[in-house]
Amino acid sequence: MNFTEQTEFLTTQPKSSQCGLRTRSVVAGMITVCLSATGALAQELTLSYGVDVTSNYISKGSTQTEDHPAVQPYVEAAYGLFYGGLWASNVKFGGASDMEYDVYAGITPSWQNVDFDMGFARYFYRDDNTNYGEAYIKADWAVSDRVTLGLDYYREVYADQNWVYLGAELAALPWDLTLSGGAGTDLGSRDDLSSDKYAMDIGLSRDLGDNISADLRVYGGNFDDELVVFTVSLFN
């Protein structure tokens, strides 16, 4: 039915029939808008989850498991620029085993070729009641399709400590390998250490499929022995 035919049809119908047609049109329009909004929400809200299995849990160049393996599941939700998630791992300090649970949230704005990640992470432990938490700002600059440079800053808000990490990544190497690494320092903010702490890492990673990747990495620094760590990541 074209517009003319539709107009003639409406004008020749009883008022009650016209009202019913208009009502059904309004309802249909409202349903369409609601379905469109629901579809947009479903497209913007994403849920990711996975688990890392690693031969050693390393944080800022130091083992958190006394050189033992760790299993690290996570789940994260993202909506537009905003995200939040949960992360967990077994840990071991001073011969005592414990569990770490992290709750974090942040935003991921971009400017030209630079991607930012700004947020806060709160660390909980099953047996340790000490407060731990970090605010962080990360910036990744895509120099080219293969080269990315990164600068990360962490601020331990409860212990008044800093950590700065400068990293780089070179992708699309032979056999689909990616070379990455970097160096970090506490800028002398650790009062319990005799000197400034620094740590470095370098490694190779590769996607083994759509939902699995592997990473082989060497860590070193002035407060810890050199470590070779192998990690397999499973993700949705």
Side-chain angles (χ1 to χ4, degrees), residues 152-204:
D152 304 343
Y153 171 71
Y154 301 86
R155 174 68 176 178
E156 182 25 282
V157 296
Y158 298 103
D160 195 24
Q161 297 171 359
N162 302 306
W163 186 261
V164 176
Y165 179 85
L166 179 62
E169 178 182 287
L170 176 61
L173 294 174
W175 304 293
D176 294 326
L177 292 171
T178 296
L179 175 67
S180 61
T185 176
D186 66 354
L187 300 174
S189 60
R190 292 282 301 273
D191 295 333
D192 57 333
L193 299 179
S194 57
S195 62
D196 297 1
K197 178 183 180 180
Y198 67 83
M200 298 173 290
D201 72 277
I202 187 169
L204 290 169

Side-chain angles (χ1 to χ4, degrees), residues 13 23 81 85 93 125 137 146 149 174 205-206 214 227 229:
Q13 296 301 307
T23 301
L81 299 178
F93 302 107
Y125 294 87
I137 300 176
R146 300 180 58 196
L149 300 179
S205 59
R206 186 181 190 276
L227 300 169
V229 178

Side-chain angles (χ1 to χ4, degrees), residues 95-228:
S97 297
D98 202 345
M99 287 295 300
E100 175 185 339
Y101 307 97
D102 299 352
V103 180
Y104 61 90
I107 59 174
T108 55
S110 298
W111 179 73
Q112 295 186 357
N113 293 335
V114 182
D115 295 328
F116 295 94
D117 183 358
M118 298 176 283
F120 182 83
R122 178 67 167 86
Y123 310 135
F124 299 90
Y125 294 87
R126 182 186 59 197
D127 301 324
D128 187 352
N129 295 324
T130 306
N131 289 326
Y132 299 95
E134 282 185 323
Y136 55 85
I137 300 176
K138 305 177 184 180
D140 291 327
W141 174 33
V143 180
S144 68
D145 293 338
R146 300 180 58 196
V147 178
T148 302
L149 300 179
L151 177 62
D152 304 343
Y153 171 71
Y154 301 86
R155 174 68 176 178
E156 182 25 282
V157 296
Y158 298 103
D160 195 24
Q161 297 171 359
N162 302 306
W163 186 261
V164 176
Y165 179 85
L166 179 62
E169 178 182 287
L170 176 61
L173 294 174
W175 304 293
D176 294 326
L177 292 171
T178 296
L179 175 67
S180 61
T185 176
D186 66 354
L187 300 174
S189 60
R190 292 282 301 273
D191 295 333
D192 57 333
L193 299 179
S194 57
S195 62
D196 297 1
K197 178 183 180 180
Y198 67 83
M200 298 173 290
D201 72 277
I202 187 169
L204 290 169
S205 59
R206 186 181 190 276
D207 290 335
L208 304 178
D210 293 335
N211 305 101
I212 182 172
S213 65
D215 182 275
L216 182 63
R217 192 161 300 275
V218 178
Y219 293 88
N222 61 335
F223 278 88
D224 299 272
D225 297 331
E226 290 185 1
L227 300 169
V228 178

Side-chain angles (χ1 to χ4, degrees), residues 54-59 61-70 90-97 219-220 223-230:
T54 181
S55 61
N56 200 343
Y57 172 16
I58 305 295
S59 177
S62 298
T63 177
Q64 308 295 295
T65 51
E66 295 185 349
D67 299 330
H68 288 80
N90 57 291
V91 295
K92 191 174 184 180
F93 302 107
S97 297
Y219 293 88
F223 278 88
D224 299 272
D225 297 331
E226 290 185 1
L227 300 169
V228 178
V229 178
F230 181 68

